[in-house]
Amino acid sequence: MLAVDTNVLVRLITNDEPKQALRAQQALDAELNAGRECMVGHIVVCEVMWVLKGLYAYSQVQCQATLAALLAFPGLRFEAMPVLLLAAKAWQNQGGDFADHLIGAQMQSLGCEAVLTFDKRASKAGTHRAV
């Protein structure tokens, strides 16, 4: 199994570099056609959302729709999918920063009661507690 980096997914999503987007699609198709999946880690998902929002001016709604499309993309396997789905649902319902929701969901899955933070916005989510 291969892992997919942020820049590969960003090229596929934005097609801002058509030649690279085509190469990325061909590489993923080759893995899929060989019966293999490609792994996408939590950090990569966070980076993709950050890049789309920060560099490509995607709205939160566009980022959420893109995440949903990525999760349904054939041949991609995601690190700890139940945790990722929980974070995506919280993000959809509560807004805020996706990475904060993912951190909270991941730490809860590891048995933590909450994440201590100075981030006032994140502390509004049920998974974080303000210091």
Side-chain angles (χ1 to χ4, degrees), residues 60 64 86-98 100-102 104-105 108 120-128:
Q60 184 163 316
Q64 289 169 339
L86 185 62
K89 183 176 181 180
W91 187 37
Q92 182 79 35
N93 293 336
Q94 300 171 17
D97 184 63
F98 174 72
D100 290 332
H101 289 292
L102 184 56
Q108 278 190 332
K120 290 182 193 285
R121 186 179 56 184
S123 67
K124 292 178 183 176
T127 57
H128 288 67

Side-chain angles (χ1 to χ4, degrees), residues 22-67:
L22 179 61
R23 287 175 36 213
Q25 185 64 60
Q26 290 170 337
L28 289 177
D29 287 345
E31 291 301 304
L32 185 60
N33 291 337
R36 296 184 294 264
E37 295 177 308
C38 292
M39 177 62 73
V40 180
H42 287 331
I43 293 170
V44 170
V45 176
C46 288
E47 284 185 339
V48 168
M49 295 301 106
W50 183 86
V51 167
L52 294 178
K53 184 176 181 186
L55 299 179
Y56 292 86
Y58 276 41
S59 69
Q60 184 163 316
V61 170
Q62 288 172 303
C63 287
Q64 289 169 339
T66 301
L67 178 57

Side-chain angles (χ1 to χ4, degrees), residues 8-9 13 34 51 59-60 77 80 91 104-105 108 115-116 120 122 131:
V8 171
L9 293 178
I13 294 164
V51 167
S59 69
Q60 184 163 316
R77 180 191 287 183
W91 187 37
Q108 278 190 332
V115 177
L116 291 176
K120 290 182 193 285
V131 176

